[in-house]
Amino acid sequence: MTGLSPSYSLIRGPQFERTLKAYLKGLAKRDKEAALELFGAVLQELTVSPRQMRGQAMAGLEKMEPEPWPGGTLAGARRMVYSLEGWEFWKAYLNFPYARGAAQKGRIMYAIEEAACQIHLLMMYTHAEYSGRPDDTFLEGVMRESDVPPRT
């Protein structure tokens, strides 16, 4: 933890809540406690510094990187188009030391709404669930459900 006061508020989207709950449900009690502690520390750190870590590296968090918005390069009149002024799309890379194999590599996808100083937690997943980024159509649905507006 940086010791700084939070400057962003967290909004937990429905898909984030579902994916976190499903992840925790599959863990043993000891691992669930470790996961909750890790998530609590990471989410607290996001409220202070959602774009990069300041000071010492935090255990379990590898890095944060901006992500391309879904739908920008895909064809189709019905597709949503994201890439909003005042909004950013990011992914935090976590390491779950109690997990094995691909489940050890976790990700949290979130959108930053700068004007409101809010972080919209969109989803959490592991490489056991998705070996790469979830597809854009799915991400668009997650954003719509989490009230991240498409560009008009």
Side-chain angles (χ1 to χ4, degrees):
M1 298 280 296
T2 63
L4 298 174
S5 298
S7 58
Y8 291 83
S9 60
L10 293 176
I11 298 174
R12 294 173 173 234
Q15 183 66 20
F16 178 81
E17 292 291 347
R18 284 191 297 271
T19 54
L20 181 59
K21 182 178 178 180
Y23 177 75
L24 293 172
K25 185 177 180 180
L27 296 177
K29 184 177 181 181
R30 178 176 46 101
D31 294 340
K32 188 182 292 187
E33 290 170 2
L36 286 170
E37 186 176 322
L38 177 66
F39 276 110
V42 167
L43 296 179
Q44 177 61 36
E45 191 65 37
L46 284 177
T47 66
V48 175
S49 182
R51 292 177 186 86
Q52 65 184 21
M53 301 304 295
R54 296 182 189 135
Q56 296 180 350
M58 191 173 78
L61 186 61
E62 295 175 17
K63 62 183 174 180
M64 297 174 188
E65 290 184 342
E67 280 285 298
W69 289 96
T73 60
L74 301 175
R78 300 189 75 189
R79 297 207 44 102
M80 306 299 281
V81 178
Y82 285 90
S83 184
L84 303 163
E85 181 117 4
W87 286 77
E88 300 172 31
F89 185 33
W90 284 74
K91 182 171 20 179
Y93 294 73
L94 301 127
N95 180 35
F96 300 126
Y98 46 82
R100 301 285 180 257
Q104 204 169 21
K105 297 178 185 248
R107 309 291 185 255
I108 296 176
M109 299 185 102
Y110 58 97
I112 302 169
E113 184 181 5
E114 191 59 42
C117 291
Q118 295 179 334
I119 298 167
H120 297 256
L121 299 170
L122 302 173
M123 69 179 295
M124 185 290 263
Y125 66 94
T126 69
H127 267 249
E129 298 164 301
Y130 294 97
S131 60
R133 171 181 158 132
D135 74 40
D136 280 2
T137 303
F138 178 75
L139 287 175
E140 288 173 355
V142 168
M143 288 182 177
R144 207 172 20 256
E145 183 181 50
S146 298
D147 295 327
V148 177
R151 183 176 62 205
T152 55

